[in-house]
Amino acid sequence: MCGLIGYCGEEPAAPLLVKALQHLEYRGYDSAGIATIADGRVQLKKDVGKLGEVRQKHQLDDLPGTIGVGHVRWATHGGVTQANAHPHTDCTKKVAVVHNGIIQNHRELRSRLEAKHAFVSETDTEVIPHLLEEHLTTSNSLEQAVLKTTRELEGSYALVIMSSQEPEKLVATCKDNPLVVGKSRKGNFIASDDLAFPESVTQIAFMEDDETAVVVKDNISFFTNDGHRIEKKFIEPSWNSGEVSKQNYPHFMLKEIMENSQSIRGAMVQDKKLITHMAMDILRAKQIIFTACGTSRYAALVGRYLFSKLAGKFSDVIISSEFHYFSDSIDKNTLVIALSQSGETADVMDGAKLAKKKGAKIFSLVNRNNSSLARMSDRVLYLNCGAEIGVAATKSFSSQLTLLYMLAFAMSNRLDEGLEKLNEVSIMVEKNFSKNGKNIEELAWRTKDKNDFYYIARGINFAIASEGALKLKEVSYAHAEGMPAGELKHGTLALIEEGVPVIAICPSDHTLKETLSNIEETRARGAFIVGISDQYNPIFHEWIEIPSIEYIYYPLLTIVPLQLLAYHSAIARGKDPDKPRNLAKSVTVK
Ligand code: F6R
């Protein structure tokens, strides 16, 4: 949700900024821009389009200077136009600002400032450079002006700011949005994500809310929002841009789907003592609430099933953006389990912070090391699936499921048995890739003109139906709904007509007989049936075969063909599966 980068050092800044933005494009890709300082003034290029297009059109790499800021945008306030792209400047063009987040009181600020300042964009961000312009006239330094400015802002922000009046420094600050600084021998960086840093960055530090960093060529200093100096601990980066490559795959999404089995094994590498402690805490808690969004929420639904099935422990799942509305029932007897690949999703963070305030304990399942959610949780389990770049979550879903299986097994004192089984499943997932690939690709082409899909399943696979539908919607833009098979007849059946694809996840478990009856009801109305099952049934028009296994493990097997179907459907429809329209990977606005 907008990616920010800043660099101050000995090397030409522009090529470094562009390279970093390439690794931040998963956060936004509707516009891009960079600004540097050279010859005593801010030099700026920005435009609408993906970074590659803007880079080529404006020769971004050629901007002179050894200090600069860059931005990739995911529009919130103001349309996708060149004027709304970042960086933004003040009237004097001395200040350049890149921003991620939303300034809630931008209207009030703008109407106050408009008497004296010429606004050129429709963004909430633009109030910031104009406020800075005012405060710089009464401040000794850029950082002092930034502190005065942020005192006037309501909302959320990560900001990287520079001024041609003090061309040796960047000032950065954040509230409810991530920022991380990185040190290298030839200069220092600040970014929304350490994934943006080049391999030369050897030490990083995450910024907390209301901290300000002053970044110069050979030093980084930190201050509280009342101007007191603070020391921060630097750590080694957990991964860097060198790791992030498509290898020989045409898209990150396909590469990451192919990493599903590896992800299961990666997630299994945990401290067993920690898992057991967490399991005991979960069993002891009076109330367990999962909170998450999108794909992570569907993983949580599988978790809810597993906790109940394997440990007889009831839990509930609340969509993070709705969490606040249930705050009356949260107290110190509540244990919240927050799931988030990025660990930065604003809705999840918001829910977790509220729960913490009310005395609840927070456990989190997170992929990104040291992400905001991880840092604020009482206990964290890392997914260990490596960087996930495709905007659609794929391999991280398998990792989340694996951790939930492990917790549920630990809750029933059978962790070792569960680990053995998960290992077997990971091998099955791997073997099954080659079996169905062509089949699924053909199916995607065959259904490429269909615009409505219904995904149905029962029991533990219900969440997989929903996740399969979400994947298809995100990357192919076809309408899809996932639901419990038994729920169809309560309304949605009215939409089934000749040729409508119904994707039925129906392995041969105790739910099969009833699911088949529901499939029958759709087939009788002309639906085109795709069965995802270990057992052929003549009711299927198309059969996607999966191996047989003990029924609770089916989600790890059934999700893979659904991810592949979504991927191939995007390709068949001429869409870019890695960068679906209107979406971004890390959703840091509410
Ligand atoms: C779906 C997808 C989104 C995310 C959601 C939560 O493919 O990517 O629905 O799952 O935005 O993101 P995290 O897990 O980072 O909190």
Side-chain angles (χ1 to χ4, degrees):
M1 205 97 318
C2 298
L4 314 184
I5 180 73
Y7 170 75
C8 178
E10 293 169 12
E11 298 188 71
L16 288 171
L17 296 173
V18 170
K19 204 151 187 213
L21 288 178
Q22 284 172 341
H23 299 295
L24 291 174
E25 237 193 328
Y26 73 88
R27 301 179 71 89
Y29 35 83
D30 59 41
S31 331
I34 64 173
T36 56
I37 300 175
D39 306 325
R41 64 185 181 89
V42 168
Q43 318 232 1
L44 188 153
K45 296 264 167 82
K46 60 182 184 177
D47 213 331
V48 299
K50 291 185 178 154
L51 175 67
E53 294 153 17
V54 181
R55 177 186 194 181
Q56 205 178 18
K57 185 168 167 196
H58 293 281
Q59 306 292 301
L60 291 186
D61 300 68
D62 295 344
L63 275 184
T66 55
I67 181 167
V69 295
H71 189 270
V72 278
R73 180 169 188 243
W74 183 88
T76 56
H77 289 58
V80 179
T81 64
Q82 188 176 27
N84 290 339
H86 296 218
H88 288 282
T89 58
D90 62 322
C91 302
T92 66
K93 306 261 182 300
K94 285 182 181 154
V95 172
V97 175
V98 285
H99 169 219
N100 173 31
I102 292 178
I103 306 304
Q104 306 286 11
N105 59 338
H106 72 103
R107 279 204 186 80
E108 297 87 300
L109 291 169
R110 184 186 273 244
S111 54
R112 190 188 90 204
L113 291 161
E114 259 168 350
K116 285 209 243 150
H117 296 260
F119 278 75
V120 295
S121 81
E122 304 154 326
T123 62
D124 54 332
T125 304
E126 203 189 339
V127 296
I128 300 168
H130 293 298
L131 280 173
L132 281 164
E133 185 185 343
E134 302 228 318
H135 289 306
L136 275 166
T137 60
T138 58
S139 305
N140 296 327
S141 63
L142 179 60
E143 54 272 34
Q144 207 180 73
V146 170
L147 287 177
K148 287 181 187 170
T149 298
T150 52
R151 273 179 212 138
E152 294 198 65
L153 303 179
E154 285 167 23
S156 65
Y157 48 81
L159 296 167
V160 186
I161 296 162
M162 61 181 192
S163 158
S164 57
Q165 298 290 87
E166 295 172 65
E168 75 294 346
K169 69 168 75 146
L170 299 170
V171 178
T173 185
C174 61
K175 188 171 156 226
D176 294 330
N177 270 292
L179 274 182
V180 52
V181 296
K183 286 184 185 173
S184 86
R185 272 193 297 121
K186 293 195 167 167
N188 294 319
F189 292 83
I190 177 128
S192 305
D193 185 335
D194 54 327
L195 212 54
F197 295 150
E199 279 170 37
S200 58
V201 167
T202 50
Q203 285 190 299
I204 61 172
F206 291 89
M207 290 184 62
E208 302 298 337
D209 282 359
D210 298 320
E211 286 178 355
T212 298
V214 178
V215 179
V216 297
K217 190 165 84 171
D218 47 13
N219 189 41
I220 305 176
S221 38
F222 300 94
F223 300 88
T224 59
N225 61 358
D226 47 12
H228 288 109
R229 183 96 189 238
I230 43 171
E231 294 302 321
K232 283 187 76 73
K233 199 172 157 231
F234 277 80
I235 56 173
E236 279 182 22
S238 53
W239 53 46
N240 57 42
S241 52
E243 268 185 64
V244 183
S245 120
K246 280 188 226 162
Q247 292 161 358
N248 290 326
Y249 289 98
H251 296 99
F252 280 109
M253 183 177 178
L254 185 59
K255 171 183 170 253
E256 288 160 4
I257 294 172
M258 292 304 175
E259 286 170 355
N260 267 306
S261 50
Q262 213 166 298
S263 300
I264 298 173
R265 290 194 287 273
M268 286 165 60
V269 183
Q270 302 290 342
D271 174 355
K272 280 198 205 167
K273 262 198 201 134
L274 173 63
I275 298 261
T276 311
H277 273 135
M278 289 170 75
M280 293 307 119
D281 282 346
I282 295 170
L283 284 172
R284 270 192 295 265
K286 286 224 171 82
Q287 171 169 255
I288 308 293
I289 300 175
F290 287 99
T291 191
C293 307
T295 295
S296 297
R297 184 174 74 90
Y298 294 132
L301 286 174
V302 176
R304 178 176 72 166
Y305 186 97
L306 291 171
F307 281 16
S308 165
K309 192 59 152 183
L310 297 178
K313 184 82 184 174
F314 181 76
S315 56
D316 208 347
V317 179
I318 303 181
I319 296 184
S320 300
S321 55
E322 293 286 309
F323 195 87
H324 265 252
Y325 314 126
F326 291 86
S327 62
D328 303 318
S329 346
I330 316 264
D331 60 21
K332 63 177 183 9
N333 298 313
T334 307
L335 197 161
V336 170
I337 305 178
L339 282 82
S340 174
Q341 185 284 129
S342 61
E344 301 293 352
T345 301
D347 290 326
V348 182
M349 280 303 293
D350 214 41
K353 279 182 185 167
L354 174 112
K356 196 167 188 165
K357 225 192 215 160
K358 300 204 86 185
K361 206 177 239 187
I362 314 294
F363 287 180
S364 63
L365 274 49
V366 175
N367 194 30
R368 300 304 316 272
N369 281 6
N370 291 303
S371 54
S372 304
L373 180 61
R375 298 202 304 277
M376 63 86 66
S377 298
D378 295 297
R379 291 190 192 272
V380 187
L381 290 177
Y382 284 109
L383 307 188
N384 300 334
C385 66
E388 188 178 66
I389 303 297
V391 164
T394 51
K395 62 176 178 173
S396 63
F397 183 71
S398 292
S399 318
Q400 288 170 330
L401 295 190
T402 304
L403 291 178
L404 292 163
Y405 281 101
M406 288 167 71
L407 284 171
F409 272 113
M411 285 159 71
S412 57
N413 214 7
R414 291 159 58 201
L415 181 55
D416 287 334
E417 179 196 326
L419 286 171
E420 225 171 87
K421 210 71 199 193
L422 286 165
N423 196 38
E424 277 172 36
V425 179
S426 78
I427 296 164
M428 282 181 167
V429 168
E430 191 143 17
K431 283 194 182 148
N432 211 43
F433 281 139
S434 44
K435 200 160 187 186
N436 281 314
K438 202 83 214 129
N439 203 352
I440 295 169
E441 193 175 344
E442 277 166 18
L443 179 63
W445 281 90
R446 198 166 156 194
T447 54
K448 84 178 184 42
D449 296 318
K450 300 284 180 193
N451 285 321
D452 297 289
F453 290 70
Y454 297 89
Y455 288 65
I456 57 169
R458 280 176 179 259
I460 194 165
N461 279 303
F462 146 57
I464 304 303
S466 303
E467 170 58 7
L470 177 65
K471 281 297 83 98
L472 190 77
K473 278 188 279 205
E474 275 185 286
V475 299
S476 81
Y477 316 153
H479 164 250
E481 278 184 51
M483 71 192 70
E487 190 64 11
L488 258 181
K489 58 185 176 296
H490 297 290
T492 310
L493 200 58
L495 299 173
I496 304 294
E497 51 187 42
E498 197 58 38
V500 168
V502 169
I503 319 288
I505 301 135
C506 50
S508 58
D509 62 14
H510 58 284
T511 64
L512 180 63
K513 217 165 118 217
E514 277 167 337
T515 311
L516 284 174
S517 305
N518 302 132
I519 300 172
E520 196 74 66
E521 289 152 15
T522 66
R523 191 167 163 145
R525 276 123 187 129
F528 171 74
I529 311 295
V530 179
I532 310 227
S533 183
D534 54 320
Q535 217 174 70
Y536 176 71
N537 192 294
I539 201 172
F540 303 152
H541 291 103
E542 285 284 344
W543 177 36
I544 297 176
E545 188 183 354
I546 51 164
S548 297
I549 194 167
E550 208 178 307
Y551 88 95
I552 54 162
Y553 300 103
Y554 276 120
L556 287 165
L557 289 167
T558 55
I559 189 55
V560 181
L562 298 182
Q563 293 173 346
L564 283 171
L565 179 61
Y567 171 76
H568 289 300
S569 297
I571 303 299
R573 290 159 197 248
K575 313 294 181 212
D576 177 354
D578 284 346
K579 293 187 184 123
R581 69 181 178 203
N582 306 340
L583 303 180
K585 192 152 186 76
S586 190
V587 186
T588 54
V589 292
K590 282 195 265 173

